[in-house]
Amino acid sequence: MSDFTADNGPTNGTAKTSLFTQTARTKRRNAAETRFKVYGIGAIALGLFFLVALLFSIVANGIPAFKQTFVTIPVELTEAKLDKNGNRDPADLAKVTTFGYKPLVTSALIVALKEQGIEIPFAKEKDVEDILSSSVAAQVRDTVLANPDLIGQTVDFRLLASSRVDGYFKGRVTRESLVRDKNLDAEHLDVADAMVDAGLMKTSFNPAFIFGSDASESRPEQAGIGVSMIGSFFMMIVVLFLALPIGVAASIYLEEFAPQNKWTDLIEVNISNLAAVPSIVFGILGLAVFIQFAHLPQSAPLVGGLVLTLMTLPTIIISTRASLKAVPPSIRDAALGVGASKMQSVFHHVLPLAMPGILTGTIIGLAQALGETAPLLLIGMVGFIASNMPDGITAGFLSPNSAMPAQIYEWAKRADPAYYERAWGGIIILLVFLMTMNIIAVILRRRFERRW
Amino acid sequence: MNDMRIVRKDVDMNDTKISAKGVQVYYGDTHAIKDVDVEIKDKTVTAFIGPSGCGKSTFLRCLNRMNDTIDICRVEGKIELDGEDIYDKRVDPVQLRAKVGMVFQKPNPFPKSIYDNIAYGPRIHGLAKNKADLDEIVEKSLRRGAIWDEVKDRLHAPGTGLSGGQQQRLCIARAVATEPEVLLMDEPCSALDPIATLQVEELIDELRENFSVVIVTHSMQQAARVSQKTAFFHLGNLVEYGDTEQIFTNPKDERTESYITGRIG
Amino acid sequence: MPVLWLFILVLALGLIGFVLGRARALKDAQGDIRLLHSLPSYYGSNVLLATLIPGFAVLVLWLIVQPMVIHGQVAGMIPERGLSDYGSLNLAMSDVRRVAEGLDIAVEQGALSAEQARDIRTEFTDIRGRLGEVGVALGSNVQPYVLQAAQKYRAMNATGHWLMSAAVIAAAIAGFAIAYMRTGKDMRARNSVERVILILLLSAASIAILTTIGIVLSLIFNTIEFFKLYPATDFFFGTTWSPSFGGGSELGILPLFWGTFYVSIIALIVAVPIGLFAAVYLSEYAGPKVRAIAKPLLEVLAGIPTIVYGLFALLTVGPLLMSIFGQDGGLGWMQGGRSVMTAGLVMGVMLIPFVSSLSDDIINAVPQAMRDGSLGLGATKSETVKQVVLPAALPGIVGAILLAASRAIGETMIVVLGAGAAAKLDLNPFEAMTTVTTRIVSQLTGDADFSSPEALVAFALGMTLFVITLALNIFALYIVRKYREQYD
């Protein structure tokens, strides 16, 4: 018998090594083993670290978007300014533009400040109005137009503070950073601090971010994601109602009926390749076929939905085929054995059994479509301000709109850093939708999972 | 390095190589091996026979702690190799497996060349000082595996390209190359045709000169042909253990007799 | 008749067909369904399908063809002057449509009578004002030719709709009648229904082919158009990318290729080791509990939309790198947050789960016998992995890496937000560079005229991208398939 160790090489000695003592070589090998294992744990830890960093950065940056700084002051709606004729005729009221409202709001602010004994540190008292968002006049005007009876009264308004003031309370804006800022001076912040102390200004939850519409480049405090959420919703409707039936039909054909021939092979190859085509190429397809060729309206959720349908189809087909495959042949044989036609066996027995799997796959496909951005850029769902809710269902499909991810991209592109916070906040909402969809998919799978 | 093939030693069949006492094996809640005691002699072929699912393979895998790789498997009792408990905390299973090699049911050559297949063990255990040394080990092992003549001209062809019988002999040569003291074989011929089986059986007989061989087999004829000692397992129990001749001609236990004569199994 | 009503009408006709067809078959068999060849509902379905399919086919076809025909006719009415007024035919046409819609709304609200809408002239009426009253805001005063085109558009649309309604109903009724006449107890209704369904299933499956054809055609035609305006050799071998819509652009793809390649390489350098080690650990070492937690968590990274990664690159990773490698960190290698490194790192993170789950599948496909063989010889787990499992899985892993590379090359949002816009051939990974996908987005968004080489170049870029990713995918899938067959 021979015993070998690395250190003395092959020998023909009789000395046996005990199993209880590790040779130097075994120690080295075990150290290598441990190192290797540590690399593996390290890789997983690194991956999870990235996940945590990503989520942390989303939550930390995005949560402030749900809060907004508001100024609550009484505004006197002077009849002499707003309704010279005093007849409350909506047509006449509408003639007073926001420029007519602006001085009312500004003086209301000045009055409120003086009442609280807050000093206005400006040569021109009017300059203090920069504390308020430039949208406030429109806000007051809309309220008055909706309810002309308010004219002549003094009404408490909850007005948006300007995005710089809002940023100051969220830590984005400091006095130093305002030195070169034309929009706001450090003195405004002193006033703002005093207003907070006096209870005139408060940072609170802002539902308008979730339900509101996008605003122009200069008014980030007003922007919301609601309209593009509707856009996404209509796109998902299109995707669901096209991709699910087409995907299921295609899968049934390929899995149950397709003969072994060139055409079937061609379809199979096409599906597996389409699944890996970059999404931007689908955008080019949408642009060329739906907009250039078929003259469908640009930026319409219908077009977005069609493009996303084509993009999602391979995903849905692949998962549907997997769940059809999971139904054991014995079920088909049983149906065929009692004289059902092939078609009957598939539609009466196989399809219902495969349904939970199909739905799970569809939901995951929808989630993928919901987060997809690149193709939407090419069919024009960015670059404009989605400021109006669609009126009616047809308009929902056909009038230009944005979609959640496209809106987030739009915000990320804008120059004002106040929009970055909006973009992160938008991502939180998008991820909440995605998470809900995935959880539903997981629950469906758990509930209906069958082991044959 | 001396060529062990030509050194005829007196075969001392009384040295106990492995002794197992009170071995229990559990797979999760299943009690797979129940209280097995056995003493395996050096330089002997010991056959484990029994109907499928009787635990013979499981017990075999306990002898070089291959069961460690299965999460739910738990081993109790004492198994000693040369008087040292192999389940002792201080024992490194890697070092143990270098001493107790194993050949599996299905030939499993690595997707490497024939040469690299054989050199794999010597390389990881550092058995060769240099290339020439390694070449020598490879040649010697292939000769011992009775496959040298068939492959000497294509040592660098992939091992997966050989026929089933050749692959199995390659795997035996691969196990032999690490110079183990005990060679465990788990139904080494079940995937082979009769001619290849015969070649492997002859090989096993030759290996007995240098190793203690433990073979699990399904075929009683094979056990009778190659082994000196036979253990009969049934439902996780070691029913009877003794000289092969005695087991096959004069079994003491009823169950052994039923199995030998084909009434159960 | 609005399309919705037409749709409902055809549907109703079909349902009536179902009831009548079923009844006719039953009557033919004197109420004894055993005499029928198929179940009664199949006779109904047969008539239903015979009604719906021709009806809807005509409807869909008409809806696709009519706008194209009208567009062609009306576009002819826009004079040369219109093109310079609006900048492009498309914009002029969108105004035409808007005016036409405005007229429709005005008629609907009673602000104009139908005759007025048909005959008014810009010379006599302030169209913009009148339409403004009914809530249709127009950007500028209506040009006479636009109004005429809009009126023609309305007229053709109206006729078209009437013709369509007639054609759709005729087709539906014809289908109905033929199927109903043929209904009888011996008719093989089930077979014919099933044949139709099979054809429907086949056409659904064939949409995949149509999509590919659509992609290829939309790329090819515009690419050919581009090469007519810009020489192909300059495109493929040019080292300068400086499009200017004023003309005199240099559109060489090489700097874009370099940017794409550089970003992808960095992404793979991040993703492959991490993904591979994670896969090895999960499949060879981790217990079922760790696996059940870590694997789905890693896969969450794959479910996060790319826009999120883009934002992460732009707003988190970019500034972070800037603070280390930029002027502030004292190294001064980085000029701005957007760089090859920023995009590459984040894309690498995105690809980790892609590499790890593909490799995990592939490593699991290596037979256990192979591992046992190695462990049985006294190899440690890591030796087994390094010397047996990974070499055995190598082809599959190479395939997985190629698939990941194709992902990286085609990825858009991360590079759009993270890599920058400057086309450069530079070695410094902290420089901003640009990629093929980024340029496709920037050339096709905005108000570019689709006939200029600066916009058309995007299609040539898309074509190149499509060909490269397709080749990579086919090659990778081929390798992976070959690998799987080996162990099946």
Side-chain angles (χ1 to χ4, degrees):
Chain A
M1 269 291 121
S2 304
D3 259 313
F4 300 125
T5 61
D7 305 304
N8 50 12
T11 53
N12 211 11
T14 47
K16 280 186 182 291
T17 49
S18 164
L19 280 173
F20 295 158
T21 49
Q22 290 196 351
T23 60
R25 184 177 181 87
T26 313
K27 279 183 191 142
R28 275 206 309 278
R29 286 172 62 199
N30 281 340
E33 170 78 12
T34 315
R35 271 201 307 280
F36 190 74
K37 212 167 152 179
V38 167
Y39 294 150
I41 295 174
I44 292 185
L46 211 54
L48 296 182
F49 165 75
F50 286 135
L51 179 65
V52 171
L54 185 60
L55 294 181
F56 176 77
S57 126
I58 292 169
V59 172
N61 292 310
I63 287 291
F66 292 88
K67 288 197 284 186
Q68 202 66 42
T69 308
F70 293 98
V71 177
T72 312
I73 48 171
V75 178
E76 189 189 353
L77 301 170
T78 329
E79 181 167 2
K81 293 260 175 63
L82 304 182
D83 188 14
K84 284 184 190 111
N85 307 333
N87 57 7
R88 302 288 188 272
D89 177 6
D92 285 348
L93 289 181
K95 281 187 185 142
V96 182
T97 61
T98 52
F99 293 109
Y101 285 84
K102 187 94 192 183
L104 291 184
V105 180
T106 307
S107 59
L109 177 65
I110 294 170
V111 168
L113 288 176
K114 284 184 174 155
E115 258 174 31
Q116 296 291 334
I118 299 170
E119 192 196 339
I120 299 172
F122 297 104
K124 279 193 279 179
E125 281 189 338
K126 191 175 156 293
D127 283 351
V128 81
E129 74 180 10
D130 287 346
I131 284 183
L132 297 174
S133 159
S134 53
S135 68
V136 291
Q139 186 192 342
V140 174
R141 180 172 180 265
D142 289 346
T143 316
V144 170
L145 292 185
N147 190 359
D149 295 339
L150 292 177
I151 294 178
Q153 302 175 21
T154 301
V155 183
D156 273 349
F157 276 95
R158 188 160 170 262
L159 303 169
L160 280 168
S162 83
S163 95
R164 297 291 193 291
V165 172
D166 181 52
Y168 170 61
F169 290 113
K170 288 172 181 168
R172 190 174 63 232
V173 174
T174 58
R175 286 186 168 74
E176 292 78 50
S177 72
L178 284 180
V179 173
R180 273 175 300 168
D181 196 317
K182 297 195 298 289
N183 299 306
L184 204 70
D185 298 325
E187 284 77 20
H188 285 110
L189 298 184
D190 298 335
V191 177
D193 278 334
M195 286 173 77
V196 172
D197 291 339
L200 291 179
M201 195 183 271
K202 235 174 97 183
T203 303
S204 57
F205 177 66
N206 177 25
F209 173 65
I210 303 173
F211 303 109
S213 58
D214 192 13
S216 84
E217 188 116 6
S218 58
R219 293 199 300 272
E221 66 275 7
Q222 211 192 353
I225 203 168
V227 173
S228 48
M229 212 189 284
I230 299 292
S232 278
F233 171 75
F234 278 105
M235 284 193 333
M236 288 307 111
I237 295 282
V238 175
V239 175
L240 181 65
F241 281 89
L242 288 178
L244 180 60
I246 295 178
V248 171
S251 314
I252 290 179
Y253 179 76
L254 291 175
E255 206 52 50
E256 307 284 341
F257 295 102
Q260 278 286 342
N261 60 21
K262 287 265 164 61
W263 186 251
T264 309
D265 286 348
L266 190 65
I267 295 176
E268 302 253 9
V269 168
N270 267 296
I271 289 173
S272 58
N273 285 326
L274 282 179
V277 166
S279 59
I280 183 114
V281 172
F282 283 97
I284 297 180
L285 169 78
L287 177 67
V289 172
F290 297 128
I291 293 176
Q292 276 188 329
F293 181 69
H295 298 291
L296 289 171
Q298 244 189 351
S299 321
L302 174 68
V303 179
L306 287 174
V307 172
L308 293 180
T309 300
L310 295 182
M311 212 189 73
T312 329
L313 261 181
T315 315
I316 293 185
I317 292 179
I318 289 167
S319 70
T320 303
R321 290 185 66 179
S323 41
L324 287 175
K325 224 178 252 161
V327 177
S330 60
I331 303 269
R332 295 175 183 81
D333 294 344
L336 295 177
V338 296
S341 70
K342 175 98 186 156
M343 191 76 74
Q344 284 167 327
S345 86
V346 170
F347 280 91
H348 296 172
H349 300 281
V350 179
L351 196 55
L353 290 174
M355 217 54 205
I358 295 174
L359 288 182
T360 310
T362 308
I363 293 173
I364 288 170
L366 276 182
Q368 188 195 337
L370 183 64
E372 191 56 63
T373 324
L376 305 184
L377 304 185
L378 296 194
I379 54 168
M381 300 195 85
V382 288
F384 66 96
I385 296 162
S387 52
N388 298 312
M389 284 283 176
D391 37 352
I393 292 175
T394 327
F397 286 116
L398 290 175
S399 58
N401 202 337
S402 189
M404 274 194 281
Q407 180 75 69
I408 293 168
Y409 169 71
E410 180 68 28
W411 284 340
K413 264 193 347 181
R414 290 184 186 168
D416 190 339
Y419 268 115
Y420 295 163
E421 167 194 298
R422 297 294 216 242
W424 287 113
I427 281 178
I428 293 185
I429 294 180
L430 181 65
L431 288 185
V432 165
F433 276 103
L434 294 182
M435 218 164 65
T436 317
M437 292 166 87
N438 278 294
I439 288 174
I440 292 175
V442 169
I443 291 175
L444 263 179
R445 190 179 299 163
R446 289 262 165 84
R447 266 206 78 174
F448 296 100
E449 196 172 46
R450 232 177 259 261
R451 298 232 174 264
W452 304 99
Chain B
M1 180 148 299
N2 54 347
D3 190 342
M4 300 199 181
R5 265 165 62 88
I6 50 172
V7 180
R8 296 254 164 216
K9 289 187 195 165
D10 289 332
V11 177
D12 181 359
M13 290 188 30
N14 294 320
D15 275 358
T16 297
K17 190 68 190 170
I18 298 177
S19 97
K21 290 189 197 81
V23 176
Q24 319 273 356
V25 181
Y26 302 88
Y27 278 113
D29 296 333
T30 324
H31 198 170
I33 297 286
K34 295 162 195 163
D35 204 21
V36 167
D37 293 338
V38 72
E39 302 228 316
I40 290 163
K41 306 287 179 195
D42 203 2
K43 311 275 187 281
T44 306
V45 178
T46 307
F48 290 175
I49 59 169
S52 7
C54 67
K56 52 193 190 302
S57 287
T58 303
F59 184 68
L60 188 76
R61 290 169 70 96
C62 290
L63 300 182
N64 71 344
R65 294 184 57 176
M66 277 301 280
N67 282 337
D68 287 14
T69 57
I70 300 163
D71 291 324
I72 54 164
C73 182
R74 198 154 46 84
V75 180
E76 284 169 13
K78 206 167 195 170
I79 301 176
E80 286 178 348
L81 175 70
D82 292 332
E84 291 178 321
D85 183 1
I86 63 170
Y87 281 91
D88 190 279
K89 272 202 301 290
R90 289 167 292 173
V91 172
D92 190 323
V94 166
Q95 245 171 310
L96 169 70
R97 289 179 200 142
K99 286 189 177 191
V100 184
M102 186 154 188
V103 174
F104 297 85
Q105 185 169 359
K106 243 178 76 184
N108 55 355
F110 302 137
K112 301 165 175 277
S113 70
I114 292 169
Y115 183 94
D116 287 335
N117 259 285
I118 303 294
Y120 181 76
R123 273 187 184 136
I124 56 175
H125 295 297
L127 300 186
K129 271 185 294 204
N130 49 41
K131 178 80 172 80
D133 214 10
L134 190 61
D135 287 348
E136 200 185 317
I137 294 178
V138 170
E139 176 174 346
K140 193 182 72 183
S141 309
L142 285 169
R143 281 189 194 282
R144 277 180 172 180
I147 191 180
W148 169 253
D149 292 331
E150 290 157 70
V151 300
K152 64 180 177 214
D153 301 326
R154 45 171 176 154
L155 287 178
H156 295 284
T160 41
L162 298 172
S163 72
Q166 288 174 323
Q167 284 189 4
Q168 193 60 305
R169 278 179 285 147
L170 177 70
C171 290
I172 294 173
R174 186 176 70 186
V176 167
T178 56
E179 298 286 348
E181 295 167 23
V182 180
L183 199 55
L184 308 178
M185 298 182 150
D186 190 354
E187 305 198 28
C189 301
S190 67
L192 304 182
D193 61 56
I195 294 171
T197 302
L198 188 67
Q199 286 169 327
V200 171
E201 282 178 7
E202 282 171 358
L203 176 58
I204 292 171
D205 202 47
E206 283 169 29
L207 291 173
R208 178 163 69 95
E209 290 166 11
N210 301 308
F211 308 103
S212 164
V213 178
V214 185
I215 175 169
V216 164
T217 176
H218 222 71
S219 139
M220 286 173 287
Q221 289 80 357
Q222 187 172 58
R225 281 195 300 267
V226 300
S227 72
Q228 287 80 51
K229 289 275 197 178
T230 296
F232 171 62
F233 284 80
H234 187 238
L235 298 174
N237 296 301
L238 176 62
V239 174
E240 196 170 348
Y241 175 54
D243 291 337
T244 302
E245 235 178 75
Q246 172 253 315
I247 296 271
F248 279 92
T249 53
N250 186 18
K252 294 197 180 75
D253 194 287
E254 226 178 283
R255 287 169 290 176
T256 317
E257 197 195 343
S258 313
Y259 182 70
I260 305 269
T261 51
R263 266 178 283 152
I264 58 168
Chain C
M1 197 175 320
V3 175
L4 186 66
W5 281 107
L6 203 57
F7 181 83
I8 292 174
L9 189 75
V10 174
L11 206 63
L13 213 56
L15 290 177
I16 295 169
F18 180 86
V19 175
L20 291 183
R22 191 175 180 279
R24 183 178 162 104
L26 275 175
K27 198 171 150 231
D28 197 33
Q30 279 100 39
D32 184 355
I33 63 168
R34 282 173 303 172
L35 293 177
L36 291 172
H37 169 270
S38 314
L39 288 172
S41 63
Y42 279 107
Y43 294 92
S45 306
N46 189 36
V47 183
L48 176 80
L49 289 172
T51 314
L52 295 190
I53 290 173
F56 287 154
V58 172
L59 181 65
V60 168
L61 220 61
W62 202 290
L63 282 177
I64 293 172
V65 174
Q66 179 176 314
M68 285 195 256
V69 173
I70 294 182
H71 183 88
Q73 294 276 326
V74 174
M77 293 177 63
I78 308 271
E80 281 299 307
R81 191 162 61 82
L83 297 185
S84 56
D85 284 353
Y86 282 94
S88 81
L89 187 63
N90 261 335
L91 293 174
M93 280 306 293
S94 72
D95 228 30
V96 168
R97 272 197 293 273
R98 212 163 158 69
V99 172
E101 277 166 30
L103 292 174
D104 285 341
I105 293 171
V107 173
E108 211 173 280
Q109 295 189 350
L112 289 172
S113 71
E115 290 77 33
Q116 274 175 315
R118 203 173 56 233
D119 302 327
I120 49 171
R121 286 284 169 267
T122 44
E123 290 80 4
F124 311 117
T125 322
D126 173 21
I127 307 280
R128 189 183 177 195
R130 293 291 285 274
L131 293 184
E133 282 167 25
V134 294
V136 179
L138 292 175
S140 60
N141 273 322
V142 178
Q143 300 291 332
Y145 61 85
V146 168
L147 182 65
Q148 275 168 23
Q151 284 163 339
K152 166 106 174 173
Y153 181 87
R154 285 191 71 224
M156 285 187 67
N157 242 346
T159 355
H161 264 109
W162 274 114
L163 284 177
M164 175 177 78
S165 305
V168 167
I169 293 171
I173 289 179
F176 181 112
I178 293 171
Y180 183 75
M181 298 314 286
R182 285 177 48 200
T183 303
K185 70 176 165 47
D186 295 326
M187 184 203 171
R188 297 156 77 93
R190 184 175 55 73
N191 305 40
S192 73
V193 168
E194 289 187 350
R195 205 165 41 243
V196 172
I197 292 179
L198 193 61
I199 291 170
L200 287 179
L201 295 182
L202 172 64
S203 7
S206 304
I207 284 184
I209 296 180
L210 271 183
T211 310
T212 309
I213 293 175
I215 289 176
V216 171
L217 288 186
S218 54
L219 288 171
I220 279 186
F221 279 127
N222 287 301
T223 304
I224 290 173
E225 201 67 20
F226 170 67
F227 285 139
K228 277 185 200 153
L229 298 170
Y230 194 87
T233 46
D234 289 5
F235 172 69
F236 284 116
F237 302 106
T239 54
T240 317
W241 173 270
S242 62
S244 74
F245 283 100
S249 310
E250 283 190 78
L251 303 170
I253 198 176
L254 288 182
L256 310 187
F257 261 155
W258 172 241
T260 307
F261 176 74
Y262 208 170
V263 171
S264 309
I265 285 293
I266 292 179
L268 290 178
I269 289 176
V270 173
V272 171
I274 298 182
L276 207 53
F277 267 113
V280 165
Y281 186 81
L282 284 178
S283 58
E284 303 288 328
Y285 288 97
K289 270 190 198 142
V290 175
R291 202 178 149 85
I293 295 170
K295 202 170 147 68
L297 275 182
L298 276 184
E299 273 162 17
V300 168
L301 282 174
I304 290 176
T306 53
I307 176 77
V308 181
Y309 284 105
L311 210 62
F312 186 59
L314 177 69
L315 300 179
T316 307
V317 176
L320 189 73
L321 288 177
M322 222 9 215
S323 69
I324 302 170
F325 299 103
Q327 296 293 351
D328 301 347
L331 288 168
W333 293 344
M334 223 169 155
Q335 306 305 321
R338 296 178 175 211
S339 72
V340 171
M341 190 51 97
T342 314
L345 282 181
V346 174
M347 201 188 281
V349 173
M350 182 193 80
L351 290 177
I352 290 173
F354 193 74
V355 174
S356 79
S357 62
L358 274 175
S359 311
D360 193 26
D361 289 352
I362 285 159
I363 289 172
N364 278 329
V366 175
Q368 184 61 31
M370 211 81 97
R371 293 182 184 84
D372 283 350
S374 171
L375 294 173
L377 290 172
T380 62
K381 266 193 169 176
S382 62
E383 285 160 352
T384 305
V385 169
K386 279 187 280 193
Q387 302 188 30
V388 177
V389 177
L390 287 184
L394 193 63
I397 289 174
V398 169
I401 293 174
L402 288 181
L403 284 178
S406 137
R407 268 282 173 97
I409 291 172
E411 173 48 43
T412 309
M413 294 320 295
I414 295 177
V415 285
V416 164
L417 287 171
K424 272 186 222 140
L425 281 162
D426 199 320
L427 276 175
N428 181 359
F430 296 101
E431 282 281 346
M433 285 180 213
T434 198
T435 69
V436 175
T437 48
T438 318
R439 288 309 96 191
I440 294 176
V441 169
S442 74
Q443 298 311 108
L444 286 182
T445 48
D447 299 325
D449 176 7
F450 280 132
S451 53
S452 70
E454 288 76 19
L456 285 172
V457 67
F459 292 96
L461 291 175
M463 187 86 207
T464 321
L465 181 69
F466 181 68
V467 169
I468 291 175
T469 51
L470 195 68
L472 267 178
N473 283 323
I474 292 178
F475 185 52
L477 287 177
Y478 170 78
I479 293 180
V480 172
R481 189 168 307 144
K482 270 267 165 298
Y483 165 76
R484 283 191 190 286
E485 278 166 6
Q486 183 189 336
Y487 292 119
D488 271 347

